[in-house]
Structure formats: structure tokens, C-alpha cells
Amino acid sequence: MPNPHAQPGQLQAALAPHHAWLQYALPKQALTELAGALARRPLGAATQWAMRRFAARYRVDMSEALQPDFGAYATFNDFFTRALKPGVRPLAESGLLCPVDGAVSQLGRIEGDRIFQAKGQHYRSIALLGGDAQLAAGFEHGEFATLYLSPRDYHRIHMPCAGRLKRMIHVPGALFSVNPATARTVPGLFARNERVVCVFEGTHAGRRFDFALVLVGATIVGSMATAWHGVVNPPRPRLLQDWRYEDRAIELERGAEMGRFLLGSTVVLLFPPGLLRLNPQWAAGQPVRLGQQMADWVASA
């Protein structure tokens, strides 16, 4: 048993093995399917009760919502993916934008093809991107940012810069929790969980480059959706799916909505080397908001 009088750091370390065991033991797929089914259904008074309890438990700020009245939402998914009032997330005037409300999990330089997950934990970009070595090679020695969305956050994802959609890859996988405790205890977490990889082509100072937004699923994340496709999952096929869009003009402006989580998770952003400089004021664990400056362009890019 952990010592109840231990300091917070000691207590977290003592609990870590128990947390990891629980993550492996939980029936994650069944829990996720059940939660997703309930969240999609209009259950009247039960839905209203669940929304109000959830908002009170996680201190959701409904004053920022375009529809602050719970009665405006027929399903829990409608409430969870609520829109914000215009102007409550002003966009920074320059640089690349933070695409979500949430907190920094980790960020920095990609070490070759190794992405830092947590102390003692790395994973490879090729694994994150569904095994595509050519795609992963473009991000070697580049920059990454991993942003965690807690239950209370706004759960739509926006564009950090303008981009033309090239590919969307649905990679089947596990459904571990993606909270900070799990990131410290489950090896290769973000490259093991189900994910939707969205690859865009951007342009800066005459240079064309590819960048990726990876939407990572988790326990009780009923589904993920994109602006051009709608709901990607369910269903959850066991085989990787790859959509190509080079012959279609799907272009999203800086700050435009590109996707959403129906129950929250994590976004991993990947950029090639020599293109940007991440905000030096950002650090692991720091709260961030949609529209803040995430990075500056490198002048010589």
C-alpha cells in the first residue's frame, strides 16, 4: 500500500504501477463503445442531468459557449462539442496558432525520428504515422507539440496555419487513457492508441512543406470527426485506412476548424526541420488556449 503521508511526488511514483496495471486491465473497447452509444442518443431528462453533472464536476465555463443553455443540446455529444461565442478566442496576429484549448503534454525537437512522451518514454514518428516511412522521414529532426485536452476543455481542433489537405489516415489501435499519469507509465502511448493522422501542405516564404495533426483516441472517446469527412470512427475496422485528397481542393484557413473529439483526448503536431521556433514560454503542464501563438516562423525558412 502507498504511504498516505508521502509527499505528492512520492505518492504519484508509488501509485504509478497500480495505475499502469489498471490501464491494461480495463475493458477499454467495451467502455468506449458504451459511452459513445449513450453520448449519441437524445435521452431527454437523463441527458440534461448528465450534462449538468459533468459541467459542475469539471467546472465547465458555459458562459463562453455560443449556446450557454443546457436545454439547447439534445445529446451529450452536442454539449461536449459545443461551439464558442465569436471573439472569445482571439487569434494571435503572427506565427502559428495553438489549435486547441488544453495543456502542453510535451514539446520540442524530434530527435531523429524519436518523439519525447514523458520522462524515460519516447516513441517513433513512423509508428505514430501508421508505419509510413516516407511520410515520417519528412519530420526527422523537426519540431513537435503534444497537447492534452481535459474533459472541461473546448473540444474542437483548429488549424495552426493555412493548409491544403493531402491525406487522412485512420490507424486502428488501443484505447488507453491519455492523461499525464498514463503518459508516464504506458510505453509508446500515442503510437499505440487509435488515431487519425491528417497531413496538410502549407506554404511560408515561398517554401512548401507538409505538416501533420494527429488526433489520438482514448478510453471513452466515442469518436473523432473531421470537417471534410464527418465522423471517422466508429466503425473501428482492424485495418489501416488511407484517404488521398491531392485531386481535391480542400483548403483550410489559419484558425479554421478542422476536427473535433466526441469526448476528449490529445493532438500531436509535427513540423519539418528549419521551419519554426516553438514558443519559448511554453512548458510541459502549462495550460494553453486556442488562438495563442504556438510558434514563430524562422526568418530563413
Side-chain angles (χ1 to χ4, degrees), residues 257-300:
E257 181 186 339
M258 60 78 55
R260 59 185 68 177
F261 288 115
L262 283 77
L263 300 182
S265 193
T266 288
V267 177
V268 182
L269 297 100
L270 303 180
F271 291 92
L275 183 71
L276 57 88
R277 184 180 299 107
L278 291 166
N279 189 335
Q281 297 180 349
W282 278 24
Q286 177 181 335
V288 293
R289 280 196 163 192
L290 166 66
Q292 293 177 342
Q293 190 173 36
M294 179 181 69
D296 283 318
W297 298 108
V298 173
S300 59

Side-chain angles (χ1 to χ4, degrees), residues 2-286:
N3 178 4
H5 303 293
Q7 294 300 311
Q10 296 172 320
L11 190 58
Q12 288 179 359
L15 289 173
H18 302 275
H19 178 86
W21 176 86
L22 182 62
Q23 283 295 314
Y24 286 100
L26 281 172
K28 297 178 286 295
Q29 184 82 22
L31 287 172
T32 298
E33 291 178 359
L34 176 61
L38 292 174
R40 289 191 297 269
R41 293 181 181 178
L43 299 175
T47 296
Q48 293 294 310
W49 177 87
M51 289 188 294
R52 293 176 188 277
R53 290 283 296 173
F54 183 94
R57 169 67 178 82
Y58 292 105
R59 300 180 183 177
V60 175
D61 185 359
M62 292 299 290
S63 69
E64 295 183 331
L66 182 63
Q67 293 286 354
D69 182 4
F70 290 103
Y73 304 103
T75 69
F76 192 88
N77 276 345
D78 293 341
F79 154 72
F80 199 81
T81 59
R82 61 197 175 274
L84 295 176
K85 290 177 180 176
V88 299
R89 295 292 185 274
L91 305 183
E93 294 184 1
S94 61
L96 292 94
L97 302 174
C98 177
V100 295
D101 282 4
V104 177
S105 177
Q106 298 293 340
L107 79 167
R109 180 66 56 86
I110 301 170
E111 301 172 1
D113 68 346
R114 283 161 47 89
I115 301 173
F116 183 59
Q117 176 175 302
K119 186 176 181 180
Q121 303 281 0
H122 288 78
Y123 59 95
R124 298 182 64 201
S125 55
I126 187 173
L128 178 72
L129 298 173
D132 190 321
Q134 183 177 358
L135 177 60
F139 301 113
E140 288 187 3
H141 305 290
E143 308 288 339
F144 81 95
T146 304
L147 306 177
Y148 168 66
L149 288 70
S150 73
R152 67 172 294 177
D153 289 319
Y154 168 68
H155 277 83
R156 300 191 184 191
I157 306 132
H158 294 249
M159 294 292 287
C161 58
R164 179 185 177 119
L165 180 67
K166 295 178 68 175
R167 295 174 69 182
M168 181 176 74
I169 309 164
H170 175 247
V171 186
L175 291 168
F176 290 103
S177 167
V178 291
N179 63 34
T182 310
R184 290 190 294 269
T185 56
V186 176
L189 172 64
F190 303 120
R192 294 175 71 168
N193 270 15
E194 178 184 27
R195 52 211 178 275
V196 175
V197 179
C198 304
V199 182
F200 295 90
E201 180 184 77
T203 305
H204 175 65
R207 171 185 171 183
R208 293 187 178 184
F209 60 92
D210 287 351
F211 64 99
L213 279 78
V214 183
L215 283 57
V216 182
T219 312
I220 315 203
V221 176
S223 60
M224 295 175 276
T226 62
W228 56 88
H229 183 93
V231 173
V232 179
N233 63 320
R236 288 184 162 89
R238 295 183 178 182
L239 299 177
L240 181 147
Q241 294 179 287
D242 191 349
W243 293 267
R244 304 283 180 143
Y245 299 95
E246 287 93 338
D247 60 344
R248 295 172 59 187
I250 301 177
E251 300 185 10
L252 298 178
E253 295 299 318
R254 179 177 184 265
E257 181 186 339
M258 60 78 55
R260 59 185 68 177
F261 288 115
L262 283 77
L263 300 182
S265 193
T266 288
V267 177
V268 182
L269 297 100
L270 303 180
F271 291 92
L275 183 71
L276 57 88
R277 184 180 299 107
L278 291 166
N279 189 335
Q281 297 180 349
W282 278 24
Q286 177 181 335

